[in-house]
Amino acid sequence: MKEFFRKLFDWSFFRFAIVGGVNTLLGMAIMFGLYNLAHCSYWLSSAANYVITSIISFFLNKYFTFRSRTDTPRQALRFALNIAVCYLIAYGLAKPLTLRLLSGVSVTARDNVAMLVGMVLFSLLNYLGQRVLVFKKD
């Protein structure tokens, strides 16, 4: 079990964190800007974030994080599926969870917290999906 975790959290995890940090800052600007400044919905704001940053993330993670040189179209399809599943799970859980925990708070504050919770859940699920399914070493 110790070897499993050592293998899962190797240097690629740290490179993923760097790429994720930069992507997170960009994504937060997109998501919170759309929600708070452009008054777009929770779902549109968070989805726009992931559509835009996922395109950037695919290429950075493929070539920098996981140093993958295999079939790009197949990986791109698995990557898109991974992003969609992680997004739906993370944000689908974050919104009702935050609604329960912060029921007395304004909708705007609650949605902002839900988007932050969704980002954290998404990041964890996304790393696992990319590591194990998308850019797995043969």
Side-chain angles (χ1 to χ4, degrees):
M1 188 65 140
K2 188 176 181 181
E3 184 61 29
F4 170 77
F5 283 107
R6 182 177 292 135
K7 200 173 191 179
L8 189 62
F9 296 104
D10 62 3
W11 282 108
S12 66
F13 176 78
F14 296 104
R15 289 190 299 266
F16 184 85
I18 292 167
V19 168
V22 171
N23 239 10
T24 296
L25 293 175
L26 175 62
M28 287 176 75
I30 293 166
M31 183 167 61
F32 291 115
L34 286 173
Y35 185 80
N36 293 300
L37 301 175
H39 306 290
C40 294
S41 73
Y42 170 86
W43 291 107
L44 178 63
S45 300
S46 61
N49 164 21
Y50 285 99
V51 168
I52 294 166
T53 60
S54 291
I55 294 167
I56 296 165
S57 176
F58 174 76
F59 291 102
L60 289 175
N61 283 318
K62 177 176 175 57
Y63 296 110
F64 174 69
T65 302
F66 298 109
R67 299 188 170 143
S68 175
R69 303 289 183 241
T70 59
D71 181 14
T72 299
R74 176 176 273 150
Q75 281 181 331
L77 183 59
R78 286 193 311 246
F79 183 87
L81 183 60
N82 179 62
I83 293 293
V85 169
C86 291
Y87 170 78
L88 290 172
I89 292 170
Y91 284 85
L93 290 173
K95 186 137 174 126
L97 176 67
T98 306
L99 177 61
R100 279 194 165 170
L101 295 175
L102 302 175
S103 61
V105 178
S106 75
V107 171
T108 301
R110 202 171 48 230
D111 281 353
N112 277 288
V113 171
M115 287 188 289
L116 283 172
V117 170
M119 289 178 76
V120 171
L121 291 172
F122 176 87
S123 296
L124 295 170
L125 294 170
N126 185 35
Y127 173 72
L128 291 172
Q130 285 191 43
R131 177 67 192 255
V132 175
L133 302 172
V134 179
F135 300 114
K136 66 182 175 187
K137 301 232 189 260
D138 293 329

